[in-house]
Amino acid sequence: MHKLDLIIQKEGNSQDRLIPILWEIQKDIGCISLDTQTDLSKKLNLSPAEIQEVVSFYHFFSEEYRGKHQIYIDSSIIADFHDRNQIKTTFENELKINTGSVTPCGTFGLFETSCIGMSDQSPAVLIDFIPVPSLTVEKVKIILNSLKNGIKLEEIILSLGLGDGANSSNYIQSNINNNIVKKGHFLFKKWSKGEAISIASQMSPENIIQVISDSGLKGRGGAGFPTGLKWKLAKEVPSDKKYIVCNADEGEPGTFKDRVLLTEFIGLLLEGMIIASKAVGASKGYIYLRGEYSYLKNHIERQILDFKESGFINSFPIEVFLGAGAYICGEESALLESLEGKRGEPRIKPPFPVEQGLFGCPTVVNNVETFVLAAQIIRFGHESFSSLGTESSRGIRLLSISGDVEKPGIYEYEWGVSISEILRDCKAIEPTFVQVGGPSGTMISNKEFDRKISHDDLPTGGSFMVFSKKRSLFDILSNFMDFFVDESCGNCTPCRAGNVILRDLLTKVKTGKARPSDLNKIKDWGNIVSKTSRCGLGMTSPNPLLTSLKSMPEYFENAITNKDENFLDFDIEQATAEYKEFHNE
Amino acid sequence: MSSPKKIPITVDGKKYDVPKNINLVEALSSQGIRVPTLCWYKGMDDCLGTCRVCTVNVNGRPSAACTLNTTEEMKIEFDTSELNDLRKSIIELLFVEGNHYCPSCEKSGDCLLQAEAQALEMTHSRFPYEFNHYEIDYSGEMIILERNRCVHCKRCTELFTNDDGEKVFSFIGKGKDTQVVINKETEKSLSKHKAQEAMDLCPVGAILVKGEGFKTPYGERKFEKEPLWIKK
Ligand SMILES: Cc1cc2nc3c(=O)[nH]c(=O)nc-3n(C[C@H](O)[C@H](O)[C@H](O)COP(=O)(O)O)c2cc1C
Ligand code: SF4
Ligand code: SF4
Ligand code: FES
């Protein structure tokens, strides 16, 4: 049978299977050519254009061949500051190609991609979608030589000792460190399989929702929406079908806590989802796993099977759905579009997913950590959680700490902890700036280290990046703006066009070409993008610029070398050279 | 049928009674308040919410008016200097993102971007021009796709189909590289009438019917006869 037919036979031919089908083709053939798209369109009863719309949206799908071994270099700022360029150059020199291309023999393809969730063991790359962390120039050479000699990647990683691989599962095809540095007293209470589900089975849906509400749990994906209320709203909408979706897209640069939760706390995650399904009356669950974490898919599926065999999920199947490289698919409505097999463009809200979510049905979308915490809350009661943290921010918060620190990794804190305490714990090295909450969060300077992690001071989705005094503020900001320009979905004007303009403006400041009035432009234009954008991406993309300009204007002022507003910074001879040549002057 | 229930809303501090659960732009328009729009037009079923030119404050938060329906006690801010400027800035963004040379454009006078720019008294763009490069697609049977002028409103990709209900236009790429493409197969079968419909649907001069561009002489075009800025 033709390969495509086999794939479709396995996946089915409805549009919501499009992304899994495209993944299989991409992995199998190394590309999804226009011819393949045409073939596929006939079999799926879509137009070729509808398939191209999707293929061209996702970073890991490609019309051109990406090579037998596909290498993706992490382009996050943390990787940048861990000699990423040296690693990149080594790959380029060894393979004799530029980034963004494939070797003539087709064996290797070298590309870049946004943060792959390995900031605690940077610089890292994905090779054939398996993370290879803690790279050095030497190791890159060994890896490439071994791959050329046909040695399997898993064996190479193992022999190089890149990570301890000490996670809870044999099904994870990678050797990375968990780096759990600070265990607090809530999340790390010992798990006993099925306990949370069994407690919940004695409770009514209203009761479950009440406990979650009383605990004060707010969503851990960044927006901080009260979880109990979300479940209640979904419960109240009458519908035959409802869905529970776990958002495991973890795309915010600098976060990797969901990566660790997915390996070390997968049981609690599944229990949290099952409890949510009981609370709202949902019949199916999805785990939307970012493509960068595809190496965890087997492990998660194995655990789901284990739960099934234990009789915990008879009427609530849970499916792992692989994203394909798009930060915007972490936005819940874009995620749902993606689950339906479409481009990940955010929907218009209202209606919210709890009213009309996946396939138009009420849907609860929660972050990985939210489900894990919910299961713990059911086990230990709402007070075990609400007694921790602060008034506005109850309970604990996992932080993914990276950058210029001696001990990068996962830290469990009560909300309300001060930046300086965190910096002490992780042994920060001459901390000068901290980016709280990833590029979409807040940049603070060392004058503000008494501020606190909380919903009313410094909210965060978990990313915590520390920068020492040898780092350039403008390098950091440029990396963030590049990220937003790359990851904007393109649907709305301010984010699509505005971020490009903000980036250009920043480049002007960075290269010393800005004039004093440009600083006001940063404020005004940033305000335009954040106020008029359609979704959270554009609403927050100016944050790093706006917050750093506010908290450390002196850096910006010092970057303006010429205060004369009307000074034109160009070489008249050079600018008119072509004209003169043409006119033989 | 009974007339729809009227509900009170506030716009810039003044109270109005408007039908419940109708599109906010239409509700405001019925009260003589013209909200600028680009992707939205009167009578459309679903809004697109892509251009953001209709941004107003609803209960203190900026929102695209065309994406909302009226609800009781809605508090709207519309005519403030900040909001007027926000809306204008989006039009300006579109002018620097694309390449709009109005005097030579087939759609000049019929173009909503141009008309809104005039209505919002835009004299220039505050943003530096990007001078982006866009390919013009002449390969269609009936249609020319002039991507320099596309404002990515998605009217054509979401709302337009041929007589068989098939899509003719789609969006490919992501972010600033998003572009409209023509589906050659379905475009072939368009009647001239249908092609003209696509051209009329496009708010700017990005979709053109071959040979029809300058049929209506300048001076007799839609917004030349009825400019948006003339308050009725
Ligand atoms: C651009 C963007 C990216 C996002 N990425 C994620 C993500 O990777 N993981 C996540 O849980 N939430 C993410 N969110 C937040 C989700 O939209 C949503 O609020 C969240 O998944 C809800 O779950 P919670 O209530 O448990 O936090 C993102 C939001 C935006 C605007
Ligand atoms: S804000 Fe950005 S990511 Fe969100 S819809 Fe608009 S273009 Fe897409
Ligand atoms: S071609 Fe016209 S209708 Fe289509 S997206 Fe562009 S501006 Fe809108
Ligand atoms: S008219 Fe409202 S977003 Fe375009």
Side-chain angles (χ1 to χ4, degrees):
Chain A
M1 215 200 274
H2 192 279
K3 246 182 206 162
L4 269 188
D5 291 315
L6 279 174
I7 295 175
I8 292 168
Q9 193 179 42
K10 183 171 142 223
E11 294 291 344
N13 67 353
S14 57
Q15 171 152 20
D16 58 299
R17 301 319 294 167
L18 182 57
I19 288 175
I21 291 170
L22 292 176
W23 254 125
E24 295 219 18
I25 300 172
Q26 179 72 41
K27 283 200 170 166
D28 206 52
I29 312 179
C31 64
I32 309 166
S33 68
L34 286 176
D35 286 343
T36 312
Q37 292 180 28
T38 308
D39 285 351
L40 187 62
S41 70
K42 290 184 191 127
K43 295 177 198 292
L44 296 183
N45 236 336
L46 295 166
S47 70
E50 280 169 296
I51 297 197
Q52 200 186 10
E53 287 195 321
V54 176
V55 171
S56 63
F57 187 84
Y58 295 94
H59 192 61
F60 293 137
F61 294 155
S62 160
E63 276 165 20
E64 278 103 47
Y65 185 56
R66 289 251 169 113
K68 178 167 167 256
H69 294 299
Q70 297 170 17
I71 303 169
Y72 286 95
I73 303 174
D74 181 339
S75 64
S76 70
I77 187 65
I78 300 297
D80 266 359
F81 289 157
H82 283 87
D83 297 329
R84 182 179 83 96
N85 262 334
Q86 223 184 343
I87 298 296
K88 180 171 147 183
T89 317
T90 311
F91 272 112
E92 289 181 337
N93 291 344
E94 292 293 304
L95 297 174
K96 301 189 180 65
I97 52 172
N98 288 327
T99 306
S101 59
V102 177
T103 52
C105 54
T107 313
F108 294 96
L110 186 63
F111 304 91
E112 286 186 298
T113 195
S114 302
C115 181
I116 61 172
M118 299 295 284
S119 296
D120 54 333
Q121 34 213 313
S122 212
V125 301
L126 289 173
I127 302 182
D128 301 335
F129 293 97
I130 295 176
V132 186
S134 308
L135 282 174
T136 61
V137 168
E138 269 321 296
K139 285 175 182 168
V140 170
K141 289 182 182 167
I142 296 172
I143 291 168
L144 288 178
N145 277 329
S146 311
L147 283 174
K148 282 178 197 161
N149 291 328
I151 305 176
K152 281 183 92 174
L153 183 64
E154 287 90 330
E155 285 170 34
I156 304 170
I157 299 177
L158 215 61
S159 70
L160 283 176
L162 294 172
D164 59 13
N167 49 56
S168 63
S169 167
N170 299 328
Y171 289 87
I172 299 166
Q173 319 148 319
S174 174
N175 253 40
I176 58 174
N177 293 324
N178 281 329
N179 284 333
I180 298 173
V181 184
K182 187 175 179 298
K183 293 187 181 181
H185 299 297
F186 187 77
L187 190 65
F188 287 90
K189 286 183 177 174
K190 201 172 159 9
W191 178 55
S192 114
K193 184 176 162 191
E195 191 184 298
I197 301 176
S198 122
I199 296 173
S201 70
Q202 308 295 317
M203 298 164 75
S204 69
E206 290 78 10
N207 225 304
I208 295 173
I209 290 171
Q210 193 62 50
V211 171
I212 299 297
S213 296
D214 289 346
S215 75
L217 176 62
K218 288 183 181 170
R220 294 305 196 239
F225 191 83
T227 307
L229 179 59
K230 188 180 275 188
W231 293 11
K232 182 164 178 266
L233 292 170
K235 179 185 185 304
E236 282 168 358
V237 184
S239 170
D240 296 346
K241 276 200 180 136
K242 295 184 188 180
Y243 297 99
I244 303 293
V245 177
C246 169
N247 187 342
D249 199 53
E250 188 153 65
E252 191 71 39
T255 33
F256 45 86
K257 48 119 189 153
D258 291 344
R259 177 195 89 211
V260 177
L261 289 174
L262 286 164
T263 66
E264 305 314 297
F265 292 83
I266 181 69
L268 270 177
L269 168 62
L270 296 178
E271 293 197 37
M273 290 180 71
I274 293 164
I275 293 166
S277 79
K278 178 167 182 198
V280 309
S283 52
K284 178 151 191 199
Y286 288 91
I287 297 176
Y288 187 94
L289 184 68
R290 69 188 305 221
E292 292 81 348
Y293 291 173
S294 56
Y295 69 103
L296 299 178
K297 190 165 181 265
N298 273 343
H299 150 70
I300 300 170
E301 283 173 344
R302 178 60 234 166
Q303 297 299 314
I304 294 172
L305 194 66
D306 181 61
F307 263 60
K308 206 168 154 189
E309 284 164 357
S310 307
F312 292 137
I313 39 178
N314 300 327
S315 53
F316 180 65
I318 299 178
E319 182 184 326
V320 183
F321 189 101
L322 210 52
Y327 167 64
I328 189 58
C329 288
E331 196 282 337
E332 55 187 5
S333 67
L335 184 156
L336 297 175
E337 287 287 295
S338 182
L339 269 177
E340 291 181 6
K342 302 179 194 152
R343 296 163 64 82
E345 290 178 31
R347 295 176 179 173
I348 289 162
K349 294 188 245 182
F352 292 94
V354 286
E355 307 154 82
Q356 278 177 44
L358 190 59
F359 309 118
C361 303
T363 303
V364 165
V365 183
N366 274 136
N367 175 252
V368 175
E369 188 180 333
T370 311
F371 284 119
V372 169
L373 292 174
Q376 287 295 61
I377 290 166
I378 293 296
R379 286 177 70 203
F380 301 110
H382 63 88
E383 278 174 356
S384 67
F385 191 76
S386 62
S387 59
L388 306 171
T390 71
E391 189 69 32
S392 72
S393 317
R394 300 284 179 187
I396 62 107
R397 160 90 264 182
L398 279 191
L399 293 182
S400 314
I401 300 184
S402 67
D404 297 313
V405 301
E406 280 176 30
K407 291 160 85 181
I410 303 292
Y411 290 67
E412 177 184 343
Y413 280 109
E414 280 185 47
W415 285 99
V417 60
S418 71
I419 303 299
S420 49
E421 185 180 338
I422 300 171
L423 292 171
R424 251 193 323 274
D425 288 349
C426 66
K427 298 206 179 334
I429 303 155
E430 299 185 313
T432 307
F433 323 109
V434 177
Q435 181 73 21
V436 183
S440 70
T442 313
M443 173 74 90
I444 61 168
S445 79
N446 50 9
K447 281 174 273 171
E448 302 167 274
F449 287 170
D450 55 344
R451 291 180 66 181
K452 294 184 167 54
I453 301 286
S454 79
H455 288 296
D456 43 23
D457 187 359
L458 291 168
T460 170
S463 171
F464 191 96
M465 300 190 268
V466 181
F467 300 107
S468 80
K469 80 170 183 224
K470 71 174 183 195
R471 307 303 184 193
S472 142
L473 176 65
F474 296 117
D475 284 347
I476 303 170
L477 295 176
S478 296
N479 179 284
F480 292 169
M481 283 317 298
D482 286 344
F483 169 75
F484 288 122
V485 169
D486 284 347
E487 297 297 343
S488 163
C489 83
N491 177 300
C492 75
T493 313
C495 171
R496 184 189 64 243
N499 278 320
V500 175
I501 283 166
L502 284 177
R503 178 175 70 176
D504 291 350
L505 194 52
L506 174 63
T507 306
K508 242 176 123 183
V509 179
K510 189 179 165 181
T511 53
K513 292 204 161 69
R515 300 288 164 264
S517 64
D518 285 323
L519 300 189
N520 283 331
K521 286 181 190 161
I522 293 181
K523 262 185 252 170
D524 294 345
W525 300 359
N527 188 45
I528 291 168
V529 174
S530 70
K531 286 222 165 116
T532 58
S533 285
R534 170 173 170 132
C535 87
L537 193 151
M539 288 175 197
T540 58
S541 60
N543 278 356
L545 270 175
L546 295 177
T547 55
S548 53
L549 180 58
K550 189 166 167 216
S551 76
M552 34 198 143
E554 64 279 10
Y555 282 83
F556 289 79
E557 281 150 17
N558 293 341
I560 296 174
T561 40
N562 198 318
K563 311 277 182 216
D564 175 6
E565 202 58 58
N566 298 317
F567 178 74
L568 290 177
D569 192 7
F570 71 91
D571 180 352
I572 185 83
E573 288 304 318
Q574 202 189 336
T576 53
E578 218 173 295
Y579 173 88
K580 285 183 178 161
E581 194 183 4
F582 189 73
H583 288 275
N584 290 321
E585 277 176 25
Chain B
M1 247 180 73
S2 63
S3 63
K5 195 182 164 221
K6 294 252 179 161
I7 50 164
I9 63 171
T10 321
V11 184
D12 295 330
K14 269 182 35 199
K15 287 223 184 297
Y16 296 87
D17 280 328
V18 295
K20 189 181 168 163
N21 206 26
I22 67 160
N23 184 280
L24 184 55
V25 176
E26 283 199 51
L28 294 179
S29 151
S30 73
Q31 305 301 319
I33 301 166
R34 197 193 73 85
V35 180
T37 58
L38 199 52
C39 63
W40 185 87
Y41 56 89
K42 193 171 160 61
M44 78 193 294
D45 291 334
D46 288 318
C47 63
L48 297 163
T50 52
C51 76
R52 321 305 286 175
V53 170
C54 63
T55 299
V56 299
N57 267 1
V58 178
N59 301 330
R61 278 186 51 172
S63 320
C66 75
T67 66
L68 296 172
N69 280 1
T70 49
T71 56
E72 209 135 339
E73 303 293 347
M74 229 176 188
K75 246 184 96 178
I76 290 142
E77 284 168 80
F78 170 71
D79 191 10
T80 70
S81 59
E82 190 196 3
L83 285 164
N84 285 327
D85 190 60
L86 280 181
R87 291 187 289 262
K88 188 170 162 187
S89 72
I90 291 171
I91 298 283
E92 291 176 23
L93 270 175
L94 288 167
F95 270 97
V96 304
E97 182 190 38
N99 299 307
H100 298 270
Y101 303 106
C102 299
S104 60
C105 177
E106 290 84 340
K107 224 29 195 293
S108 182
D110 281 328
C111 168
L112 191 52
L113 180 70
Q114 183 190 48
E116 286 294 4
Q118 286 167 342
L120 298 173
E121 294 171 19
M122 173 187 155
T123 52
H124 68 290
S125 177
R126 74 195 74 181
F127 308 109
Y129 282 84
E130 292 280 322
F131 300 111
N132 289 316
H133 178 79
Y134 299 97
E135 296 276 338
I136 304 175
D137 186 352
Y138 295 102
S139 66
E141 293 275 321
M142 302 286 298
I143 282 174
I144 300 170
L145 194 58
E146 219 305 16
R147 294 199 183 91
N148 287 293
R149 303 166 183 164
C150 173
V151 292
H152 300 86
C153 69
K154 298 193 86 171
R155 281 191 186 184
C156 62
T157 62
E158 297 300 302
L159 308 173
F160 186 77
T161 56
N162 66 10
D163 284 322
D164 298 326
E166 296 163 316
K167 268 177 86 139
V168 178
F169 302 95
S170 15
F171 248 21
I172 63 164
K174 189 172 97 181
K176 66 176 176 34
D177 301 322
T178 314
Q179 57 169 357
V180 175
V181 290
I182 303 181
N183 181 346
K184 300 268 147 48
E185 288 304 307
T186 51
E187 192 263 352
K188 257 199 306 222
S189 62
L190 288 181
S191 62
K192 192 151 202 171
H193 176 73
K194 262 283 170 192
Q196 184 64 47
E197 242 178 58
M199 178 166 169
D200 294 342
L201 182 68
C202 177
V204 290
I207 296 177
L208 305 169
V209 180
K210 288 187 179 170
E212 299 291 310
F214 292 105
K215 220 170 172 187
T216 317
Y218 284 149
E220 290 172 29
R221 297 177 166 205
K222 189 173 165 196
F223 297 114
E224 292 163 340
K225 290 196 285 191
E226 267 186 66
L228 292 176
W229 72 85
I230 293 183
K231 289 191 179 128
K232 281 193 207 119

